[in-house]
Structures are given as structure tokens and as C-alpha cells.
């Protein structure tokens, strides 16, 4: 019975993580569109501001934060059932990265409010860079739970890390080229 309960907690923990991350990724994407809409004509700008404000609020409050609460509360349930996890090095390191993720989550709320009341100073370019941070945290945290105290340090691992960084850099470059092309088309 206890073993089954533990598996339920773990399943809900993973579901919570998926929801949380889906929300975090989409939220910052919305911030980018919101920020870029500031360059539009006044009428359009007002309409987009209203729409993005609504979308961001709903995404943050109905999906992202509940996802975080589910993931973290299920994690607490697992630790209560098996307190010995807390003395494991991998979990201690994992918790410090999770703390970083919670700070990132709160920072997203700060950006959301500043975009909504027009006081945001963060550029679309910085937001794009910021959007890579949860990917990095997700990567490290998943490696920690899977490999636990045998965190891989081999050449194969670092090749995978290199590949991921290369893919992220390519996405950035593609976005840059696409934006440049869009700008040159609109100037024609
Ligand atoms: C303070 C926050 C957290 C705590 C205390 C915590 C704790 C735990 C514990 C005790 C397990 C069970 C390990 C096992 O049974 O082998 C687990 C599993 C897992 N956690 Fe977390 N976790 C937290 C947050 C997160 C976050 C933010 C992520 C993802 C970014 C994450 C990803 C996972 C995954 C993928 C598993 C399944 C691993 C497996 O089945 O081997 N956790 N977590």
C-alpha cells in the first residue's frame, strides 16, 4: 500500500513538473511577443497589451503556478515517506537547483506585472536569453534524479551537453535570421 502511494506521488510529481515547465516556457515566449508589440501603432499596441495581459495572467495563475505547487507538494510527500532521501547528496544538490527554478518563477511574475503596467525595461533579446535558463535547470535536475550520486562526468556525457548547447545556439541563430528577414521585408 505504502509502495503504491509512493508511486502515485512520484507520478503526480512528474505530471506537475511537465505542467510547470510547459507554463514557464510559454510564459516567457508570451513576454517576448508582448514586448515586441510595443513597437506597433498605438491602437494595435493597446489591443495587444490587453490580450497578452489576459493570456499571461491565465497561463501563470491557472497552469504554471498550480504545476509548481503540484510538483513540489508531491516531492514533499515522497520525502516524508522516505526521509532518508534528504541525506543523499544528489537530492541536496537538486534542491538547490530547484530553489533557482523557484526564484526564476517569481522573477517571471515580476516581469509579467511590469509588462502589464508598462514599466518593463527588459528587451525582447534578453527575454529570449532568459528563456534558456529553465532548459538548463531542467537538464541538470533530470540528470541528478536519474544518475543520482553517480552523476556522469565521462566524455560521452559532455558530448551530449555540447550537442544540446549547439542546438540551443542554432535555435537562437535561426530566430535572429528570421527576425532580420522580417525587418527587411517590412522596410521594403
Ligand atoms: C524541492 C523540490 C524537489 C524535491 C524534494 C524532489 C524530490 C524527488 C524525489 C524524492 C524523487 C524520487 C526519487 C526516486 O524515487 O527514485 C523525485 C523524482 C523525480 N524528480 Fe523530483 N524533487 C523536486 C523537484 C523536482 C523538479 C523541479 C524536477 C524537474 C525539473 C524533478 C524531477 C524529477 C524526476 C524526473 C523524477 C523521477 C526520477 C525517477 O523515477 O528515477 N524534481 N524527486
Amino acid at each position: 500500500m505504502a509502495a503504491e502511494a509512493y508511486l502515485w506521488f512520484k507520478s503526480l510529481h512528474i505530471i506537475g513538473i511537465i505542467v510547470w515547465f510547459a507554463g514557464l516556457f510559454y510564459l516567457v515566449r508570451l513576454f517576448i511577443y508582448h514586448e515586441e508589440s510595443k513597437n506597433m501603432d498605438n491602437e494595435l499596441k493597446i489591443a495587444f497589451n490587453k490580450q497578452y495581459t489576459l493570456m499571461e495572467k491565465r497561463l501563470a495563475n491557472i497552469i504554471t503556478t498550480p504545476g509548481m505547487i503540484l510538483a513540489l507538494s508531491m516531492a514533499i510527500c515522497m520525502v516524508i515517506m522516505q526521509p532518508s532521501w534528504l541525506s543523499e547528496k544528489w537530492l541536496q544538490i537538486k534542491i538547490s537547483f530547484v530553489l533557482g527554478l523557484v526564484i526564476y518563477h517569481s522573477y517571471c511574475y515580476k516581469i509579467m506585472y511590469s509588462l502589464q503596467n508598462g514599466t518593463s525595461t527588459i528587451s525582447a533579446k534578453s527575454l529570449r536569453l532568459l528563456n534558456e535558463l529553465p532548459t538548463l535547470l531542467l537538464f541538470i535536475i533530470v540528470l541528478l534524479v536519474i544518475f543520482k550520486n553517480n552523476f556522469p562526468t565521462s566524455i560521452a556525457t559532455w558530448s551530449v551537453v555540447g550537442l544540446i548547447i549547439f542546438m540551443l545556439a542554432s535555435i537562437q541563430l535561426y530566430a535572429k535570421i528570421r527576425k532580420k528577414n522580417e525587418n527587411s521585408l517590412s522596410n521594403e
Side-chain angles (χ1 to χ4, degrees):
M1 188 66 189
E4 195 179 315
Y6 184 87
L7 291 179
W8 271 107
F9 292 144
K10 188 146 87 167
S11 306
L12 292 171
H13 178 58
I14 294 171
I15 291 167
I17 289 158
I18 293 169
V19 174
W20 187 13
F21 272 86
L24 284 178
F25 288 140
Y26 190 38
L27 193 60
V28 180
R29 192 94 303 265
L30 282 179
F31 293 164
I32 295 169
Y33 298 143
H34 197 161
E35 176 58 36
E36 287 177 345
S37 72
K38 282 182 183 169
N39 305 325
M40 293 174 170
D41 296 338
N42 209 29
E43 219 170 285
L44 272 177
K45 193 167 76 179
I46 293 169
F48 271 106
N49 185 40
K50 215 169 151 190
Q51 184 61 25
Y52 284 132
T53 297
L54 184 73
M55 288 167 80
E56 287 159 4
K57 250 192 208 159
R58 287 192 179 158
L59 180 65
N61 297 335
I62 303 175
I63 294 174
T64 319
T65 300
M68 175 184 77
I69 294 170
L70 181 67
L72 298 186
S73 54
M74 291 302 110
I76 293 168
C77 290
M78 283 190 287
V79 170
I80 290 173
M81 282 194 81
Q82 206 165 310
S84 61
W85 278 134
L86 285 176
S87 55
E88 299 269 348
K89 194 103 198 131
W90 69 270
L91 188 63
Q92 293 162 1
I93 300 172
K94 176 181 165 175
I95 290 173
S96 61
F97 281 108
V98 175
L99 198 69
L101 198 61
V102 174
I103 293 171
Y104 176 84
H105 183 107
S106 319
Y107 185 56
C108 284
Y109 264 84
K110 191 171 174 262
I111 297 174
M112 183 172 79
Y113 293 133
S114 66
L115 275 168
Q116 284 166 11
N117 58 33
T119 56
S120 162
T121 51
I122 187 161
S123 69
K125 196 176 167 194
S126 307
L127 285 168
R128 278 199 174 83
L129 266 178
L130 193 74
N131 211 10
E132 306 301 348
L133 191 65
T135 315
L136 188 70
L137 290 172
L138 177 67
F139 182 78
I140 297 169
I141 295 171
V142 169
L143 283 190
L144 279 166
V145 268
I146 301 298
F147 289 93
K148 298 201 164 58
N149 290 329
N150 302 310
F151 195 83
T153 49
S154 69
I155 188 90
T157 306
W158 294 110
S159 306
V160 174
V161 174
L163 191 70
I164 289 169
I165 293 171
F166 174 74
M167 279 162 61
L168 290 177
S170 306
I171 293 168
Q172 287 288 334
L173 191 69
Y174 169 74
K176 229 181 202 170
I177 294 170
R178 203 192 54 188
K179 183 123 187 54
K180 211 172 164 189
N181 288 345
E182 274 172 11
N183 284 346
S184 56
L185 270 178
S186 62
N187 289 339
E188 276 174 15

